[in-house]
Amino acid sequence: MHLSTYFFEDDGRIPNNPVLPALVYAGAFRTAPHEAEATFNRNDWRNGWVNGVYAYHHYHGNSHEALAVLGGSALLMIGGENGNEIEVQAGDVLVLPAGTGHKLLRAGAGFSVAGAYPGGMSYNTRTGNAGERQRDLEDIRLVPLPDQDPVFGREGPLLANWKTK
């Protein structure tokens, strides 16, 4: 597995997270992508679903999110219009702190992801609407740190990289 960290600034539309980096665990489930959902659940990242990624910029203002690529590959834009394009493939995991923009740019055949949230939190889906912004900025600041890494449990890159807020 290879870990990459990304910090994104507020671009005026997508707030991103002012303190916590987005994490990409390249190859976390390279040999067994189908095990991602059960691993997330075991590590208390629940309220899961399986689908794709929306083809428009969006973020979750009230929860962090883990995404495991179950099949195929895709090019994602993370961090809003001024963010980074990130190629992902089956077995990769992204952990997005509350407020982090994400969007599908291109997907290969069979692309699917499993999403989950720490403690099974309910999540909202925001698009950067001006009417949502002030409340979202406050909500993002109040989202608690997870107790466990979605892949490695009580140890792992998330806990090392998200030590303080």
Side-chain angles (χ1 to χ4, degrees):
M1 183 197 83
H2 174 75
L3 174 70
S4 298
T5 60
Y6 299 89
F7 285 94
F8 302 107
E9 293 188 17
D10 186 328
D11 68 8
R13 180 171 167 227
I14 302 296
N16 292 303
N17 194 290
V19 177
L20 303 175
L23 306 173
V24 177
Y25 302 25
F29 291 100
R30 181 172 321 234
T31 60
H34 62 279
E35 292 180 7
E37 288 178 274
T39 301
F40 285 176
N41 288 330
R42 189 170 45 255
N43 293 323
D44 199 30
W45 286 66
R46 296 174 287 105
N47 192 19
W49 50 266
V50 174
N51 205 333
V53 174
Y54 293 132
Y56 55 84
H57 289 289
H58 67 285
Y59 62 92
H60 309 293
N62 63 348
S63 182
H64 309 301
E65 180 176 47
L67 298 172
V69 182
L70 301 177
S73 62
L75 179 64
L76 304 176
M77 175 66 84
I78 307 296
E81 289 292 336
N82 300 322
N84 289 78
E85 292 183 1
I86 299 174
E87 289 272 357
V88 295
Q89 62 186 348
D92 293 347
V93 171
L94 295 91
V95 185
L96 305 176
T100 303
H102 46 296
K103 171 185 177 178
L104 175 70
L105 296 176
R106 174 179 75 240
F111 175 68
S112 68
V113 297
Y117 308 88
M121 293 179 76
S122 293
Y123 59 93
N124 58 25
T125 300
R126 304 294 200 203
T127 59
N129 179 316
E132 302 165 339
R133 187 169 179 74
Q134 196 57 44
R135 180 175 173 201
D136 287 344
L137 291 173
E138 180 66 16
D139 286 348
I140 290 165
R141 189 180 68 74
L142 297 174
V143 175
L145 292 175
D147 293 329
Q148 297 191 71
D149 183 294
V151 176
F152 299 100
R154 298 235 177 253
E155 300 189 15
L158 180 132
L159 300 176
N161 284 278
W162 288 13
K163 286 183 182 176
T164 61
K165 265 179 108 171

